[in-house]
Amino acid sequence: MAVGEPLPELAIPLTRTFIVATALASRDYQDVHHDPDLARERGSKDIFMNILTSNALVDRYLTEWAGPAAVVQAIRLRLGAPNHPGDTMVLSGTVTGRTDEERRVEIAVRGTNGLGTHLSGTAEVRLPREAGAS
């Protein structure tokens, strides 16, 4: 992989069940993640995904690309447009740096939905040694 190389996109359907289940799984009981009426009362058009889920989806995206032996060492994200039920978030990335002796790559990541950019940021991934390498 070379600097400038794009990662394949990953489309994630955003169902109501997915948003609620992932908030509960991360012990985020904020009502805006599971109660549509209270979310609207607080100014949102519907419930929305929590940041822990967004972060976990970026981790999944990177390890699906780099392989299960890769280690995600850092993820730095900024949130933008919320992820609401019925939309799709598309994750994309580009290799922005590489350190061969450490087997480390830096990736610029972005997640978009029908409202615009949901997340943007960078991640550092340590790649596994190749089979047979010492």
Side-chain angles (χ1 to χ4, degrees), residues 49-67:
M49 180 181 287
N50 71 357
I51 190 170
L52 295 171
T53 301
S54 298
N55 196 67
L57 290 171
V58 169
D59 189 277
R60 168 191 165 195
Y61 174 62
L62 296 169
T63 55
E64 282 186 7
W65 167 74

Side-chain angles (χ1 to χ4, degrees), residues 41-125:
E41 201 175 287
R42 286 168 176 70
S44 181
K45 76 173 195 174
D46 202 340
I47 64 169
F48 53 90
M49 180 181 287
N50 71 357
I51 190 170
L52 295 171
T53 301
S54 298
N55 196 67
L57 290 171
V58 169
D59 189 277
R60 168 191 165 195
Y61 174 62
L62 296 169
T63 55
E64 282 186 7
W65 167 74
V71 176
V72 177
Q73 295 183 306
I75 297 175
R76 296 170 197 87
L77 297 178
R78 287 190 82 119
L79 289 183
N83 272 338
H84 292 293
D87 206 342
T88 299
M89 180 174 66
V90 178
L91 291 170
S92 60
T94 304
V95 176
T96 57
R98 180 182 173 125
T99 307
D100 290 331
E101 62 274 3
E102 296 174 2
R103 302 177 331 275
R104 187 179 56 80
V105 292
E106 184 172 291
I107 310 290
V109 293
R110 183 175 162 104
T112 59
N113 60 35
L115 296 174
T117 300
H118 169 66
L119 63 85
S120 60
T122 60
E124 293 176 21
V125 179

